[in-house]
Amino acid sequence: MGKGEEFSTIAQNQWDNFNYKLSNSESLHEVSHRVVSCFKEITEQSQASIIVASNGTALSVLMNVLTKNSLLIKIS
């Protein structure tokens, strides 16, 4: 298995199971908790439009949470 295939397998495992992680890494559940907490804090303190920038995994997890409406109701 090549490195690209290894990454694909690991990524698929993470999205299939948000608690899956390699040693010395974060699960997507842990990433979600960290990113959503920060996002909520920023949006609660902001009085204006904001821009969110981060790495692809963190943004993907945030978008996953937002599009499932689990957070939108709380911050509206």
Side-chain angles (χ1 to χ4, degrees), residues 19-30:
N19 292 309
Y20 176 86
K21 67 177 180 178
L22 301 175
S23 60
N24 298 322
S25 67
E26 285 182 295
S27 68
L28 292 184
H29 177 77
E30 293 167 329

Side-chain angles (χ1 to χ4, degrees), residues 14-76:
Q14 287 182 307
W15 285 101
D16 289 343
N17 175 2
F18 263 41
N19 292 309
Y20 176 86
K21 67 177 180 178
L22 301 175
S23 60
N24 298 322
S25 67
E26 285 182 295
S27 68
L28 292 184
H29 177 77
E30 293 167 329
V31 172
S32 175
H33 183 267
R34 179 172 50 84
V35 171
V36 170
S37 295
C38 182
F39 180 78
K40 285 176 65 175
E41 181 180 333
I42 291 168
T43 57
E44 288 169 356
Q45 294 177 6
S46 177
Q47 303 263 337
S49 298
I50 60 170
I51 295 174
V52 177
S54 184
N55 69 36
T57 299
L59 288 176
S60 294
V61 170
L62 179 61
M63 291 306 298
N64 185 55
V65 171
L66 293 176
T67 57
K68 289 186 176 189
N69 293 326
S70 62
L71 182 63
L72 290 176
I73 295 168
K74 296 177 185 173
I75 62 170
S76 296

